[in-house]
Amino acid sequence: MKHLAAYLLLGLGGNTEPSAEDIKGVLESVGIDADEDRLEKLIGELKGKDLQELIAEGSSKLASVPSGGGGGGGGASAPAAGGASGPAPEEEKPAEKEEEKEESDEDMGFGLFD
């Protein structure tokens, strides 16, 4: 990653075909030693390719990758305007049971900081 970051920094600076020496110079300026094998592999794979096209291609590939969880479920829908509210939703009942469990833990005669 450090080699790619240096390559991209050089590209942003206007150097469209950074050499191994250019990348080493960037890395050494911040006290990082370059890995020759990885550096040569990176340069070989990126040689003759346009950075902007590679970034655009990678972004389109990342857009199709699922990321994160499914998200939380939506809350209960509000009643329509002017409508009477019905009985409490069933989702609230499990929450009450959880609260009862917590209370029963407190009745055991000891606490966390006793």
Side-chain angles (χ1 to χ4, degrees), residues 19-112:
S19 67
E21 293 303 317
D22 294 334
I23 295 172
K24 284 181 191 176
V26 170
L27 293 174
E28 289 173 357
S29 71
V30 292
I32 299 174
D33 295 325
D35 181 358
E36 293 291 330
D37 295 333
R38 290 185 181 193
L39 184 56
E40 292 303 321
K41 182 178 179 183
L42 175 73
I43 290 174
E45 289 181 7
L46 295 178
K47 187 169 184 126
K49 296 182 181 177
D50 181 32
L51 285 177
Q52 297 302 322
E53 289 177 15
L54 289 173
I55 291 171
E57 182 181 331
S59 294
S60 66
K61 287 181 181 179
L62 283 175
S64 66
V65 174
S67 61
S77 61
S85 62
E90 291 185 26
E91 291 181 18
E92 292 182 15
K93 290 181 182 177
E96 292 174 8
K97 290 180 182 177
E98 289 177 17
E99 290 177 14
E100 291 174 13
K101 288 180 185 176
E102 290 177 20
E103 291 175 7
S104 66
D105 289 342
E106 293 175 359
D107 295 335
M108 295 177 74
F110 61 90
L112 182 62

